[in-house]
Amino acid sequence: MSKVFLNLGRQPLANSFLKDIGKKTLQNEFFYNLKICFNSKNYLVSIAKPVNPKKQYTDKYAHRASESKTMRFAFKKVAQKLFKRFRPKKIMEIGSNDGVFLKNFDKKSVVAVEPCKNLARLTKKLFETYDEFWNLKLANKLKKKKGEIDLIFSANTISHIPNLKETFKGIHNILSKNGVLVIEDPSLLKVLQNNSYDQFYDEHVYVFSSISINNIIQEYGLRLFDIEHLSTHGGSNRYYICKKNGKYKKSLRLEKAIKNEKSYKLHKIESYLKFSKRVNLSRKNLFTLMKKLKKTNKRIISYGATYKSTTVFNYCNLNSKLIDYVTDTTLNKQGKYTPGTHIKIISPEIGMNNTVDYAFLGAWNFKKEIFKKEKNFLKKGGKFITHVPKVMTLSK
Ligand code: TYD
């Protein structure tokens, strides 16, 4: 039923930036095989053998959603919008990170679930927070304690949980009769259209489509009734889900989205096999381009130490022989080394200097913002390299 269509090779955990590259640290670096498969029965695209979540979501988890102004603004906007549309009395978030979404509601009406203890600690001071993994046991415990929930929100989290059965069963158990589950995750259609294979890394166990979500949740008494397309993470979907007998009518835009995915043949293995060929070519082209530039003594760096670039660097074999260093605005990443490929990360203030000829767009999802910020680099003849939607150089 499930067929592997893409092999992205030996990969480290996408966010396991290294403090040093001493012998001991490198010996302990964890790697796994990143293979992606398609299930022809329910149309799910997933990692063939996911990593154990206990290895990933520890008390050292680095990503803080509140650090980005764009994300703070986006979560505030969606919080206001959902409150206006559904008027929920009780709200829960699965994967609440540093509280960037829940902060926008009355503290007494919210419950947070966040297994990374360092993050949960931050929001415990603000509202009720459970530092546990979401599963059936926790759902039942919360239902006993809090009663039914009217709005469950989860952004970039459900696609990270290997066990969808427990996830949706738990959600169904705790959701009120006309309650709504809203989830946001990267869009599979966008990944195929953009050849953005770097959306596949250990944390993204699934990359969902509306047709696969629709199939999966039906097994647990839930149904999809609306969808919104978002620009976040290079193209995401916001899915609106209710109980099978919930009062919500299926929207026209959902029907259109499903039709669109079917016309792109997201339900056929052939589309994934073709995608896999494009990804192979992308690897070849990126490596060849960088090799060629290096031969003519060009200085190449990378812009944004993203999780996505962990996949690109390791899959395309891009190391410090080709890329001098990576720049990133996140203080926590500066001074560290990229997972698997061990390229130094420094601040853009130091790194974006006159010696740079080419900067690979690791954070291609922020291309617009970066081009605006780096207009002087472009003006002076600096160029960016991207692999999305195909390998090319970009100048002003
Ligand atoms: P993100 O978009 O969350 O991608 P991923 O989920 O693949 O990690 O990360 C963007 C990263 O890029 C983050 O570490 C901040 C960095 N960044 C810069 O260094 N400069 C910039 O101008 C922007 C927009 C981002």
Side-chain angles (χ1 to χ4, degrees):
M1 221 180 330
S2 270
K3 187 179 160 94
V4 170
F5 63 87
L6 180 63
N7 185 352
L8 293 166
R10 189 172 171 266
Q11 293 276 351
L13 299 184
N15 79 348
S16 58
F17 298 97
L18 304 172
K19 280 205 179 88
D20 64 85
I21 44 172
K23 206 170 156 193
K24 206 170 160 206
T25 312
L26 297 191
Q27 265 170 0
N28 288 331
E29 202 174 10
F30 172 81
F31 288 89
Y32 70 103
N33 288 319
L34 180 56
K35 289 184 181 171
I36 315 299
C37 59
F38 170 68
N39 183 322
S40 54
K41 204 173 159 212
N42 57 20
Y43 313 147
L44 254 187
V45 166
S46 61
I47 295 181
K49 276 196 192 137
V51 173
N52 184 344
K54 285 189 181 141
K55 256 194 156 54
Q56 301 163 302
Y57 308 106
T58 64
D59 59 355
K60 291 187 181 60
Y61 194 75
H63 178 72
R64 300 232 172 123
S66 288
E67 267 174 12
S68 150
K69 201 172 151 189
T70 320
M71 294 316 279
R72 277 202 307 275
F73 180 71
F75 280 116
K76 188 174 179 179
K77 231 173 92 181
V78 65
Q80 287 168 343
K81 182 174 173 161
L82 295 178
F83 191 78
K84 212 167 144 193
R85 182 166 174 191
F86 301 112
R87 299 276 163 201
K89 289 200 178 66
K90 275 187 227 162
I91 303 153
M92 177 173 83
E93 186 176 11
I94 303 174
S96 51
N97 199 271
D98 57 6
V100 66
F101 170 76
L102 287 180
K103 264 180 205 165
N104 300 292
F105 298 96
D106 173 11
K107 292 183 182 74
K108 284 188 241 65
S109 66
V110 307
V111 186
V113 176
E114 175 50 66
C116 301
K117 298 207 188 307
N118 57 329
L119 297 171
R121 225 174 283 133
L122 297 174
T123 62
K124 270 183 183 172
K125 296 173 214 153
L126 304 172
F127 39 72
E128 204 170 340
T129 305
Y130 291 79
D131 57 0
E132 294 174 50
F133 283 98
W134 177 255
N135 55 30
L136 202 50
K137 201 171 141 207
L138 178 61
N140 293 337
K141 181 169 103 179
L142 284 180
K143 190 177 174 184
K144 256 194 199 153
K145 244 182 132 172
K146 313 287 307 170
E148 292 180 329
I149 306 281
D150 308 308
L151 173 67
I152 302 177
F153 183 74
S154 190
N156 298 301
T157 300
I158 302 295
S159 61
H160 295 207
I161 309 178
N163 193 336
L164 291 183
K165 185 175 170 182
E166 287 235 355
T167 301
F168 287 119
K169 253 190 163 176
I171 286 170
H172 182 269
N173 280 8
I174 200 167
L175 199 63
S176 61
K177 191 170 156 234
N178 279 311
V180 177
L181 162 69
V182 177
I183 66 177
E184 285 183 25
D185 282 293
S187 149
L188 182 63
L189 182 61
K190 283 285 171 200
V191 169
L192 262 65
Q193 285 173 336
N194 287 332
N195 295 315
S196 50
Y197 62 88
D198 48 349
Q199 282 295 3
F200 294 110
Y201 53 83
D202 61 294
E203 294 185 16
H204 289 173
V205 180
Y206 303 97
V207 177
F208 293 130
S209 55
S210 47
I211 53 174
S212 64
I213 283 281
N214 209 13
N215 284 335
I216 295 295
I217 60 174
Q218 273 179 29
E219 291 176 37
Y220 309 107
L222 297 165
R223 69 177 170 85
L224 197 53
F225 67 90
D226 198 7
I227 191 169
E228 274 175 278
H229 304 297
L230 315 169
S231 61
T232 37
H233 294 291
S236 298
N237 285 329
R238 180 178 291 145
Y239 302 101
Y240 290 80
I241 294 163
C242 65
K243 285 194 160 170
K244 201 170 106 199
N245 298 319
K247 66 179 179 184
Y248 306 96
K249 263 180 39 194
K250 192 173 175 181
S251 73
L252 275 175
R253 60 184 176 184
L254 175 61
E255 275 175 23
K256 214 171 128 192
I258 290 177
K259 230 175 162 180
N260 197 23
E261 287 181 2
K262 288 222 166 127
S263 73
Y264 206 85
K265 298 201 167 46
L266 286 198
H267 57 309
K268 300 273 188 210
I269 182 72
E270 289 74 29
S271 312
Y272 301 95
L273 296 173
K274 280 185 197 159
F275 168 69
S276 173
K277 279 195 181 146
R278 297 199 296 276
V279 173
N280 270 299
L281 184 67
S282 176
R283 165 169 69 170
K284 219 167 116 193
N285 289 346
L286 186 58
F287 186 76
T288 311
L289 173 66
M290 287 204 185
K291 261 259 149 78
K292 201 174 104 196
L293 293 173
K294 208 68 199 168
K295 260 196 181 154
T296 55
N297 288 325
K298 298 292 183 209
R299 183 164 227 212
I300 311 170
I301 66 144
S302 192
Y303 199 102
T306 58
Y307 296 181
K308 293 188 287 295
S309 49
T310 299
T311 295
V312 178
F313 291 176
N314 286 277
Y315 175 61
C316 301
N317 209 4
L318 309 178
N319 53 28
S320 51
K321 281 187 194 142
L322 289 171
I323 296 174
D324 284 28
Y325 51 81
V326 181
T327 64
D328 198 287
T329 49
T330 319
L331 291 178
N332 196 22
K333 290 180 185 171
Q334 292 169 10
K336 292 187 178 159
Y337 296 83
T338 58
T341 45
H342 314 143
I343 309 169
K344 182 103 187 193
I345 304 165
I346 62 172
S347 75
E349 287 78 20
I350 296 175
M352 284 305 283
N353 58 42
N354 288 337
T355 67
V356 177
D357 298 301
Y358 289 86
F360 174 71
L361 268 179
W364 56 265
N365 45 318
F366 289 108
K367 182 178 152 208
K368 247 194 196 157
E369 192 177 326
I370 292 170
F371 268 53
K372 220 166 138 188
K373 210 193 292 182
E374 301 300 345
K375 56 177 184 290
N376 278 338
F377 167 70
L378 288 162
K379 235 189 213 164
K380 286 180 190 155
K383 293 186 175 69
F384 283 100
I385 300 174
T386 190
H387 67 293
V388 175
K390 63 180 177 114
V391 175
M392 57 185 158
T393 58
L394 305 162
S395 47
K396 89 177 148 78

